[in-house]
Amino acid sequence: MTSQDELKKQTGYKAIDDYVESGMVVGLGTGSTAYFAVERLGQKLKSGELKDIVAIPTSVRTKEQAESLGIPLVTLDTHSKLDVAIDGADEVDPDLNLVKGGGGALLREKMVEVCADKFIVIVDESKLCDGLGPGFPLPVEITPFCHEHTLRTIAALPSCAGGNAVLRMGSSSSNVCDGDEIAVTDNGNYIVDLHFTEAIKDAPTMATELKNTVGVVEHGLFCGMTTAGKLHTHLDLFYFQVISLDHALLLQ
């Protein structure tokens, strides 16, 4: 395990240790850091340190991992209110706006995490940026029906000016082309990745324009999470430095 993976593990474990208590409903994120949080939750349930936990996974692969660890799973159909959700992010700007969904789970992530009283975001220092966009493509989940039309419509949005809209190919869990077939999400949809060379000027406006576009199912902009009455009432952001976990910061 690399030093960075070890820090992901320690920070993922810490998120469970600090924020999850017996009797909670927990949202389980998707990705390399969230993996360790799920692992830790399974350990604490097996040891009896945590009891009466139910969890809601945000992807098929997280569901499979949780099941292998004996974590009791439910869905939003039966549990629409979560105590806490724990996940990673692909980019974080100074206003704590996020880009998420590089692993293709953006729709389920947002559906679950918007229902959580507290949303714990774990990222490494490299994910912190002055502006969203250049450091990581913005994923947009779209319907397969007339997907080329929807891709062109997205590219023509005023807020997306300067972005290059690319249909994701190969595995839906990576925005790097690794196959000849169109990538399909857990929900049976396609993903358009928007590549920017300059920072997105107004992420909330872009989020609104994308959401209002017919054919768009969801986008990877998670904006306004630190404002009461918006998506969440609270967001805690961990970031760890590769050198030592002792230098990790918790921003609130």
Side-chain angles (χ1 to χ4, degrees), residues 180-214:
D180 297 328
E181 300 294 327
I182 298 174
V184 180
T185 70
D186 289 345
N187 314 297
N189 297 315
Y190 296 166
I191 293 178
V192 172
D193 288 303
L194 288 170
H195 296 254
F196 294 92
T197 58
E198 297 182 358
I200 295 170
K201 294 181 175 60
D202 189 338
T205 295
M206 181 181 291
T208 299
E209 288 191 355
L210 286 169
K211 191 67 174 179
N212 290 340
T213 300
V214 176

Side-chain angles (χ1 to χ4, degrees), residues 39-251:
E39 181 178 81
R40 180 60 169 168
L41 181 60
Q43 290 176 357
K44 299 189 79 168
L45 283 169
K46 185 176 181 179
S47 70
E49 189 174 349
L50 288 176
K51 298 179 180 179
D52 301 321
I53 294 284
V54 293
I56 301 177
T58 55
S59 66
V60 170
R61 59 187 180 277
T62 297
K63 176 178 180 289
E64 291 172 346
Q65 181 195 6
E67 287 175 337
S68 72
L69 296 170
I71 300 172
L73 299 181
V74 294
T75 72
L76 292 176
D77 289 338
T78 58
H79 293 73
S80 294
K81 180 178 173 59
L82 286 72
D83 297 290
V84 64
I86 299 173
D87 205 352
D90 300 307
E91 277 194 317
V92 184
D93 75 7
D95 295 322
L96 299 188
N97 294 314
L98 316 175
V99 168
K100 289 176 51 57
L106 58 154
L107 173 60
R108 297 191 187 190
E109 287 173 342
K110 191 173 286 188
M111 288 182 68
V112 171
E113 289 153 6
V114 76
C115 296
D117 289 338
K118 185 173 291 188
F119 178 25
I120 311 302
V121 179
I122 313 169
V123 295
D124 66 64
E125 190 178 27
S126 69
K127 305 299 178 66
L128 305 181
C129 63
D130 294 329
L132 303 178
F136 200 91
L138 172 65
V140 182
E141 188 161 346
I142 66 172
T143 61
F145 177 73
C146 296
H147 63 278
E148 293 182 359
H149 160 76
T150 303
L151 184 151
R152 291 193 300 270
T153 302
I154 291 169
L157 291 173
S159 63
C160 295
N164 181 29
V166 178
L167 187 66
R168 187 174 294 191
M169 305 295 290
S171 170
S172 66
S173 63
S174 172
N175 59 18
V176 177
C177 180
D178 58 3
D180 297 328
E181 300 294 327
I182 298 174
V184 180
T185 70
D186 289 345
N187 314 297
N189 297 315
Y190 296 166
I191 293 178
V192 172
D193 288 303
L194 288 170
H195 296 254
F196 294 92
T197 58
E198 297 182 358
I200 295 170
K201 294 181 175 60
D202 189 338
T205 295
M206 181 181 291
T208 299
E209 288 191 355
L210 286 169
K211 191 67 174 179
N212 290 340
T213 300
V214 176
V216 169
V217 179
E218 193 50 83
H219 56 77
L221 287 169
F222 286 52
C223 300
M225 290 188 173
T226 57
T227 304
K230 292 291 185 67
L231 291 182
H232 297 281
T233 58
H234 191 79
L235 179 146
D236 287 340
L237 171 66
F238 281 105
Y239 80 87
F240 56 84
Q241 297 178 336
V242 176
I243 299 173
S244 171
L245 188 66
D246 293 337
H247 297 291
L249 299 179
L250 172 61
L251 308 179

